[in-house]
Amino acid sequence: MARLPRFDLPGVAQHIVQRGNNRLPCFLDDGDRLRYLTLLGEALAASGVQLHAYVLMDNHVHLLATPPETGAISRLMQRLGRQYVGLFNARHARSGTLWEGRYKACLVDTEPYVLACYRYIELNPVRARMTDDPVAYRWSSCAANVGQRPHSKLTPHSAWHALGTSPEARNAAYRGLLDEALPADQLDEIRLYLQQQRAWGRDDFRAMVEAKTRRFAGTRPAHRPGKASHGK
């Protein structure tokens, strides 16, 4: 059976994850990470996609981005993945695949869902116990989104702009959000919608997505074997 296309609507943010094959590292050193970010910037410029948040972990990448048109995210990820694999393989004298199949992506509703994805992505190094302060992690957008570092690749989402009436107020408000860990049930929900590549948000948001795509946009429960009958 042919795979269904990902949900993809112009102007609607997407939470994207791409993992190393067999969960193996896709970055071996800071040189790899710098090359990836350079290629990401070039792919953003070529596709017109707006990047709101990102984190580079050892064996996977998270992005939060909004496409200007259908297909823009796919073009960005294909270009970025192909170019990075070529440089990675040449640099480390290897061959073959680097990524674990296709990237995964889900649509994300506006505030508070987009801001939760900002936090999910930028708090990843904290959950992985790589740092106690997400701002200190060099390979994410966190320092830029709290105003401690300029970053030409980033375009703040409208939900981030709504945090305050000035850059200073928005930076402070977002820093306050980062000081609070996401609840466990929200972490599970984000992961579920991303794994199943659906539309995370309010009921009316999913209804809009379903009306435009003519596809079910909610998640489905994981399949569990039925219990054997005992004559009751």
Side-chain angles (χ1 to χ4, degrees), residues 37 40-41 44 49-55 63-64 118 122 140-147 149-157 161:
L37 291 178
L40 174 59
L44 291 168
V49 171
Q50 294 183 341
L51 178 68
H52 312 304
Y54 70 86
V55 66
L63 308 174
L64 179 63
Y118 265 84
E122 294 180 348
S140 85
S141 52
C142 191
N145 281 326
V146 298
R149 183 181 73 206
H151 206 308
S152 60
K153 296 181 182 67
L154 295 178
T155 302
H157 192 276
H161 274 296

Side-chain angles (χ1 to χ4, degrees), residues 15-204:
H15 180 189
I16 303 156
V17 64
Q18 189 158 38
R19 299 187 183 279
N21 192 38
N22 292 324
R23 303 296 178 101
L24 293 173
C26 45
F27 305 105
L28 297 182
D29 56 30
D30 288 352
D32 288 339
R33 296 177 180 89
L34 287 170
R35 284 169 174 80
Y36 184 92
L37 291 178
T38 297
L39 294 173
L40 174 59
E42 294 172 356
L44 291 168
S47 64
V49 171
Q50 294 183 341
L51 178 68
H52 312 304
Y54 70 86
V55 66
L56 310 186
M57 303 297 285
D58 289 344
N59 65 358
H60 67 282
V61 176
H62 284 276
L63 308 174
L64 179 63
T66 298
E69 60 188 7
T70 301
I73 293 286
S74 179
R75 291 193 297 273
L76 178 143
M77 295 303 292
Q78 288 174 4
R79 171 180 173 146
L80 174 60
R82 182 174 59 251
Q83 291 184 340
Y84 179 71
V85 170
L87 289 175
F88 184 91
N89 283 353
R91 187 165 187 257
H92 297 294
R94 68 182 297 276
S95 62
T97 186
L98 177 65
W99 305 116
E100 185 181 73
R102 305 167 79 214
Y103 70 89
K104 292 186 179 295
C106 74
L107 298 185
V108 184
D109 201 352
T110 53
E111 195 278 329
Y113 297 92
V114 158
L115 289 177
C117 280
Y118 265 84
R119 294 164 64 199
Y120 179 91
I121 289 169
E122 294 180 348
L123 287 171
N124 212 326
V126 176
R127 291 193 300 275
R129 300 182 180 179
M130 299 171 73
T131 180
D132 292 330
D133 182 3
V135 178
Y137 187 71
R138 181 181 176 188
W139 304 107
S140 85
S141 52
C142 191
N145 281 326
V146 298
Q148 292 192 14
R149 183 181 73 206
H151 206 308
S152 60
K153 296 181 182 67
L154 295 178
T155 302
H157 192 276
S158 58
W160 186 90
H161 274 296
L163 286 172
T165 57
S166 68
E168 294 76 16
R170 292 189 286 269
N171 293 336
Y174 183 60
R175 176 73 233 213
L177 290 176
L178 289 172
D179 289 339
E180 300 179 12
L182 288 165
D185 59 343
Q186 194 169 56
L187 290 173
D188 291 342
E189 194 171 82
I190 290 172
R191 290 165 180 155
L192 179 63
Y193 275 88
L194 184 55
Q195 177 64 29
Q196 296 192 15
Q197 303 193 89
R198 304 292 182 165
W200 187 50
R202 296 161 294 186
D203 291 344
D204 60 347

